[in-house]
């Protein structure tokens, strides 16, 4: 039974209509597709200029013949009461309402019209089908957080039942908990794993220590889809070795859509059907394929509120192999607020030197996971989970490598913890800076 599709339809999300539109867009040839994108961009801008008071004021100087005249909006622009962002005819009662996770440091409540939300699900289901995964029929091992309030908890539990998924507790990554995860995989015919990267990576490391291949004890397993946190190449290799199935990288944003999904050729395919994605420099000028810049995204269908030239807060590169119909995300470098600012004025992507540290610290098998925080211009602190304190020698090696990559004169502190603090959603932020980014 197609419980998942039926539940969407009964909730007012026209999934059949959305799937039909998606298929129609995918079947367009190159010329037809280019015309479709141009037309849809013009249509969504015109709609909001006519029907949305917020956008009329925000984009009052738009030249309809010049896409670059359309202002870039940020999360800060949307941090206001939802009622002020809604288009005419839309209310909290006739739209899909949710809240961003706040991983960027700028949480806000957003809306989607019901057709746009159905489109989101149609794109997700289409991408999962690349690996023969079906939300209605295949059993999912789910590695996400869960609300602790009664209503939120039971709402998610109902969704889990409808979606044929079993939820694992990502807040407890002790060996006892991971052993129980393993027992569950022995008992249930999971077809795929789906969830946050860090707890799934910890499960892979546990299996490695036990010398266990997951597919051998759960032969129904076909794939593992990770999302919401950075997937490093060595972690991906470890997961694929220990799970015995492909590991697929997903990139999405709740306020928009599924942004990119890895195909069987290890290409990170950007969603060009319902979104228009640009890479812009600091002056909001579009960069050519292959160059690093800010990801700025337009939702081509959402009528309830505008997401037009919306700076999502991430930095990335589109491959030189990209085309308008098939953009390929070559690299996701990190969030714009994940930048380390140093005493000399130098700036560095926080996740890059997180990876430098990771390459050293994880050779010590006693260290399970860690995060880095920048406390001052010259002070970084590494919190790690381990059965024992990091050796003086290993700590010194990390300090030397951090200074080699960044600059001399830095203070590197270490603190061992029983477990790391995750957000309410269960995500783990690998690098955080507590500096004002204008420093």
């Amino acid at each position: 039974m197609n419980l998942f599709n039926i539940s969407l339809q009964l909730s007012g999300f026209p999934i059949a209509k959305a799937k039909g539109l998606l298929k129609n867009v995918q079947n367009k040839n190159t010329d037809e597709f280019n015309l479709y994108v141009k037309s849809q961009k013009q249509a969504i801008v015109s709609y909001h200029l006519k029907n949305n008071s917020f956008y009329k004021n925000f984009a009052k100087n738009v030249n309809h013949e010049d896409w670059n005249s359309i202002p870039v909006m940020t999360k800060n622009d949307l941090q206001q009461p939802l009622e002020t962002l809604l288009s005419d005819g839309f209310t909290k009662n006739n739209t899909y309402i949710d809240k961003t996770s706040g991983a960027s440091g700028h949480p806000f409540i957003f809306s989607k019209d019901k057709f746009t939300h159905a489109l989101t699900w149609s794109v997700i289901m289409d991408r999962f089908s690349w690996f023969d995964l079906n939300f209605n029929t295949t059993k999912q091992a789910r590695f996400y957080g869960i609300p602790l309030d009664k209503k939120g908890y039971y709402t998610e539990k109902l969704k889990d039942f409808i979606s044929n998924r079993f939820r694992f507790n990502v807040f407890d990554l002790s060996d006892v908990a991971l052993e129980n995860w393993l027992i569950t995989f022995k008992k249930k015919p999971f077809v795929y794993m789906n969830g946050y990267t860090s707890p799934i990576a910890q499960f892979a490391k546990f299996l490695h220590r036990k010398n266990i291949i997951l597919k051998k004890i759960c032969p129904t397993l076909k794939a593992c889809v990770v999302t919401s946190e950075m997937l490093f190449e060595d972690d991906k290799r470890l997961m694929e070795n220990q799970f015995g199935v492909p590991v697929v990288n997903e990139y999405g944003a709740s306020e928009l859509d599924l942004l990119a999904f890895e195909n069987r050729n290890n290409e990170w395919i950007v969603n060009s059907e319902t979104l228009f994605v640009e890479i812009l420099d600091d002056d909001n000028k579009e960069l050519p394929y292959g160059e690093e810049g800010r990801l700025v995204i337009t939702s081509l269908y959402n009528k309830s509120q505008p997401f037009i030239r919306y700076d999502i807060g991430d930095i990335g590169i589109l491959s030189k192999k990209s085309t308008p119909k098939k953009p390929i995300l070559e690299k996701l470098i990190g969030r714009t607020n994940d930048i380390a600012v140093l005493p000399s004025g130098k700036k560095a992507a926080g996740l890059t030197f997180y990876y430098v540290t990771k390459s050293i610290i994880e050779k010590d098998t006693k260290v399970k996971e860690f995060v880095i925080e920048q406390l001052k211009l010259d002070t970084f602190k590494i919190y790690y989970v381990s059965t024992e304190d990091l050796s003086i020698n290993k700590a010194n090696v990390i300090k030397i490598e951090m200074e080699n990559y960044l600059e001399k004169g830095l203070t590197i502190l270490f603190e061992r913890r029983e477990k790391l603090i995750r957000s309410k959603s269960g995500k783990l932020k690998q690098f955080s800076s507590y500096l004002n980014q204008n420093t």
Side-chain angles (χ1 to χ4, degrees), residues 73-76 78-79 82 85 96-113 116-117 120 124 228 251-259 271 274-275 295-308 310-314 335 427:
M73 63 171 57
T74 67
K75 294 174 190 285
N76 284 334
L78 302 176
Q79 284 183 304
L82 182 61
L85 300 172
Y96 171 79
I97 307 293
D98 204 351
K99 185 177 182 179
T100 64
S101 68
S104 65
H106 300 277
F108 61 90
I109 297 171
F110 66 88
S111 70
K112 292 182 185 179
D113 66 70
T116 296
H117 189 58
T120 294
I124 292 170
S228 294
Y251 171 43
S254 56
E255 67 269 38
L256 290 170
D257 212 323
L258 188 151
L259 304 181
N271 171 6
T274 69
L275 304 174
L295 277 99
V296 174
I297 301 171
T298 298
S299 175
L300 295 174
Y301 286 92
N302 192 3
K303 291 182 176 179
S304 67
Q305 81 173 82
F307 285 97
I308 298 171
Y310 167 64
D311 187 336
I312 194 172
D314 287 342
R335 307 202 71 88
K427 294 180 186 178

Side-chain angles (χ1 to χ4, degrees), residues 121-186:
W121 277 113
S122 69
V123 172
I124 292 170
M125 287 189 270
D126 175 76
R127 300 317 195 248
F128 274 66
S129 73
W130 293 352
F131 292 85
D132 301 320
L133 307 176
N134 186 311
F135 278 43
N136 290 286
T137 58
T138 51
K139 193 161 190 66
Q140 177 191 139
R142 190 168 184 80
F143 300 85
Y144 283 80
I146 190 167
L148 297 180
D149 64 283
K150 201 168 186 179
K151 181 182 177 183
Y153 179 85
Y154 285 107
T155 297
E156 288 304 312
K157 282 295 185 182
L158 177 60
K159 289 180 183 177
D160 287 344
F161 172 75
I162 291 171
S163 305
N164 194 21
R165 61 200 193 196
F166 180 91
R167 190 179 297 255
F168 291 82
N169 178 12
V170 299
F171 293 100
D172 184 359
L173 299 177
S174 65
D175 279 1
V176 172
L178 297 177
E179 188 67 52
N180 287 329
W181 290 11
L182 186 57
I183 291 169
T184 304
F185 271 89
K186 290 178 180 178

Side-chain angles (χ1 to χ4, degrees), residues 275-328:
L275 304 174
F276 176 66
V277 178
E278 301 172 85
I279 302 289
L280 302 186
D281 66 14
D282 290 340
D283 296 319
N284 292 335
K285 291 186 171 60
E286 186 170 11
L287 293 167
Y289 295 144
E291 292 195 21
E292 172 188 320
R294 295 150 46 230
L295 277 99
V296 174
I297 301 171
T298 298
S299 175
L300 295 174
Y301 286 92
N302 192 3
K303 291 182 176 179
S304 67
Q305 81 173 82
F307 285 97
I308 298 171
R309 302 201 89 191
Y310 167 64
D311 187 336
I312 194 172
D314 287 342
I315 303 168
I317 301 170
L318 289 180
S319 167
K320 290 181 179 179
K321 297 178 183 177
S322 297
T323 66
K325 189 174 182 181
K326 187 185 175 183
I328 301 170

Side-chain angles (χ1 to χ4, degrees), residues 18 54 147 176 184 196 251 344 359 377 398:
F54 159 77
V176 172
T184 304
Y196 299 148
Y251 171 43
S344 67
S359 66
L377 274 176
I398 291 169

